[in-house]
Amino acid sequence: MGRVIFHVDVNSAFLSWEAVYRLHHLGGTLDLRTIPSAVGGDQEKRHGIILAKSIPAKKYKIQTGEPVANAKEKCPELVLVPPNYELYQRSSRALLRILADYTDKIEQYSIDEAFMDMTGCSEQPEQTAGELKERVYRELGFTVNVGVSSNKLLAKMASDFQKPNLVHTLWPGEIQMKMWGLPVRELFSVGHASEKKLAALGVHTIGQLAETPDSVLYGCLKSHGLQIKRFANGLDDSPVAPAPPPNKGYGNSLTTPRDVTDRETARLFLLSLAETLSARLRADGAMIRTVEISLRDCHLKFSHRQRALETPTDLTVEIHEAACRCFEELWDGTPLRHLGIHTSGVTRTMERQLGLFDRLDYEKYRCAEAAVDRLRKRYGQDIIKRAVFVEAPGEKRVLADHMGGGISREKRRVDYTKEIIL
DNA sequence: TCTGGGGTCCTAGGACCC
DNA sequence: TCTGGGGTCCTAGGACCC
């Protein structure tokens, strides 16, 4: 017998986890999953998009990623709840603990999805998947779909079939019957752009893609065209990788509550982003060689600029300085709604080559920033703040409050002491 | 109606070196 | 004299995922 792979996918994850929390921890009686409801960001802070929706909300054609205002138009009685990332982390860990009882070959693919290599673990995979699904519901109160097949791609496609709370198989012999009739957009890694190009070729279903000549696909989509053809034929030999691969880059970005119109405020936001980002680098023992900033202006136009550093760094000051130089070269004065810093060229050798012209005393700054890291780890993120975030007057003060004293809120340390108990 | 935040991978042109 | 070819690095942009 060949490989047996499960893909476990939490149904409407953020919304289900919130629903369970309200029922079991807040003593509520209303189950959000049974009414049109959604998890959405705060419109006031301009984070207003739909992150997850209930199955009744889906009937109103509400889609993940669409603006909250849009969703309310489609369904005025929609019940909206704010996101709670700490709850999601706890819920995810609780799920993974159950999965670990079945195999140690588990790859966490995202906060609400995991692959399991079940090869040799079960004589009847479909039945085992059903037991797993029931156990998750019994112990944790939320439902999952489980896709069962002989590779990751097919297992993932299978878990996406009818929802919720179902096990589906998609063995190679079932590909034609279960997968080839689907719209090509539903194939993993076929997005909007590929769908459009394929439509121009007359390719609308996964089955049609599977039978399109390589030369045609390469001409249209280059190597990606050949990749999605392999997927359409159910071919995928990627292993279930229990250890997450090391980061190739680190980024931090933020939509600001109000447009940024002056460079001093922009520099402050960039400092806030650089601070969280470099703390992550130091926590991982990583350094980066390339700094890129991204801007999104009030007309929603994106722009980017990057620069390579002379020497790898994990220092807030150096990343901030590089980001500010990019900013000066890039910004044309249009009011900004979003700023980001993204870094790449990761190295993990902690020995920094001190260049002849190293302008900073690296060791001195490194010591200071490491001391701040330790303080925050021990006493919380708010224990120490830069003066610029404390003393910012007026409008800047408001912005500084949104920065959480230089630490983006979503990245605050998760308190795992409050585990889910049902 | 007014669009988040975190990633990965691929392509392509130009600079530069041998 | 006036030009090949391979390799690597840098920058920019696009597409996809959750």
Side-chain angles (χ1 to χ4, degrees):
Chain A
M1 189 164 180
R3 291 203 297 162
V4 176
I5 308 294
F6 286 5
H7 180 255
V8 180
D9 191 336
V10 179
N11 302 127
S12 310
F14 290 2
L15 186 100
S16 295
W17 288 334
E18 181 69 28
V20 171
Y21 181 72
R22 291 182 178 214
L23 288 174
H24 294 263
H25 294 259
L26 302 184
T29 51
L30 174 65
D31 187 335
L32 289 171
R33 291 169 290 190
T34 64
I35 61 168
S37 64
V39 177
D42 185 346
Q43 286 178 281
E44 288 285 302
K45 290 183 185 164
R46 309 202 293 188
H47 291 192
I49 64 157
I50 300 291
L51 297 162
K53 76 269 179 200
S54 67
I55 287 172
K58 196 180 275 181
K59 298 209 169 78
Y60 291 85
K61 301 219 185 329
I62 289 168
Q63 289 172 6
T64 302
E66 80 173 310
V68 166
N70 216 353
K72 281 180 177 168
E73 286 249 315
K74 290 178 181 172
C75 175
E77 69 268 33
L78 184 71
V79 173
L80 271 165
V81 299
N84 180 351
Y85 294 100
E86 292 187 13
L87 171 66
Y88 308 154
Q89 291 286 355
R90 294 202 303 275
S91 306
S92 180
R93 286 162 56 102
L95 172 66
L96 285 167
R97 277 197 296 273
I98 289 182
L99 303 190
D101 280 352
Y102 292 80
T103 174
D104 54 359
K105 297 199 189 85
I106 297 174
E107 175 182 340
Q108 183 166 17
Y109 183 68
S110 70
I111 196 166
D112 67 336
E113 291 178 41
F115 292 102
M116 305 166 70
D117 189 335
M118 295 292 290
T119 307
C121 296
S122 169
E123 292 292 306
Q124 289 146 327
E126 201 174 343
Q127 189 186 327
T128 304
E131 289 163 11
L132 184 158
K133 169 180 86 71
E134 289 307 314
R135 188 178 155 198
V136 170
Y137 182 63
R138 194 168 61 243
E139 296 187 16
L140 302 178
F142 55 83
T143 63
V144 298
N145 263 34
V146 185
V148 180
S149 186
S150 53
N151 66 39
K152 284 162 67 176
L153 180 273
L154 289 173
K156 183 160 168 57
M157 293 300 296
S159 70
D160 209 32
F161 293 163
Q162 195 189 348
K163 297 168 184 173
N165 199 22
L166 290 168
V167 171
H168 299 285
T169 62
L170 182 54
W171 302 109
E174 301 176 298
I175 289 173
Q176 290 196 24
M177 186 181 67
K178 292 189 178 180
M179 192 169 85
W180 276 13
L182 297 176
V184 74
R185 181 68 169 86
E186 293 186 26
L187 183 65
F188 178 76
S189 91
V190 175
H192 175 69
S194 302
E195 179 189 29
K196 253 181 91 177
K197 289 180 181 173
L198 291 169
L201 296 176
V203 173
H204 302 284
T205 67
I206 296 177
Q208 289 171 328
L209 173 61
E211 293 175 333
T212 303
D214 284 5
S215 56
V216 174
L217 291 171
Y218 190 84
C220 181
L221 289 158
K222 296 285 185 291
S223 64
H224 187 238
L226 305 183
Q227 175 68 15
I228 59 180
K229 177 173 173 176
R230 283 192 290 274
F231 285 169
N233 283 288
L235 302 175
D236 170 35
D237 56 10
S238 63
V240 173
N247 271 38
K248 306 220 163 158
Y250 292 77
N252 236 185
S253 65
L254 173 76
T255 295
T256 56
R258 273 185 289 286
D259 282 352
V260 174
T261 55
D262 66 288
R263 63 165 46 77
E264 287 70 36
T265 307
R267 290 177 65 96
L268 228 48
F269 274 116
L270 290 173
L271 178 58
S272 164
L273 293 166
E275 199 167 31
T276 46
L277 198 157
S278 63
R280 286 168 62 204
L281 292 175
R282 292 189 293 272
D284 280 7
M287 294 202 179
I288 51 85
R289 270 219 63 180
T290 302
V291 174
E292 172 180 0
I293 66 158
S294 61
L295 305 178
R296 195 179 197 195
D297 69 24
C298 59
H299 310 302
L300 304 173
K301 196 180 128 247
F302 272 111
S303 56
H304 309 258
R305 187 162 191 94
Q306 68 177 47
R307 69 183 303 123
L309 305 178
E310 286 174 18
T311 163
T313 189
D314 57 1
L315 290 184
T316 302
V317 267
E318 291 186 321
I319 292 169
H320 183 235
E321 187 191 307
C324 287
R325 286 176 68 174
C326 290
F327 181 81
E328 293 301 331
E329 292 166 4
L330 182 61
W331 190 44
D332 64 2
T334 311
L336 299 171
R337 66 147 38 224
H338 177 102
L339 296 95
I341 303 181
H342 309 272
T343 62
S344 55
V346 174
T347 52
R348 285 190 161 69
T349 50
M350 283 308 289
E351 302 296 314
R352 166 149 157 161
Q353 293 278 334
L354 285 178
L356 269 179
F357 303 101
D358 224 350
R359 290 165 43 229
L360 284 162
D361 184 346
Y362 173 78
E363 291 303 329
K364 189 181 74 183
Y365 278 92
R366 185 61 170 75
C367 261
E369 295 191 4
V372 172
D373 292 341
R374 285 194 298 275
L375 276 174
R376 285 183 170 149
K377 187 172 183 194
R378 185 151 175 194
Y379 300 108
Q381 296 294 343
D382 293 329
I383 193 69
I384 182 165
K385 296 184 186 194
R386 286 175 186 269
V388 286
F389 294 124
V390 177
E391 292 166 356
E395 174 72 2
K396 280 183 201 146
R397 177 65 220 225
V398 174
L399 293 173
D401 283 347
H402 284 285
M403 294 175 190
I407 294 290
S408 304
R409 301 209 171 260
E410 288 72 15
K411 284 289 145 194
R412 289 178 181 221
R413 196 155 55 94
V414 176
D415 179 4
Y416 292 118
T417 58
K418 296 173 282 180
E419 294 290 352
I420 285 192
I421 303 154
L422 287 178

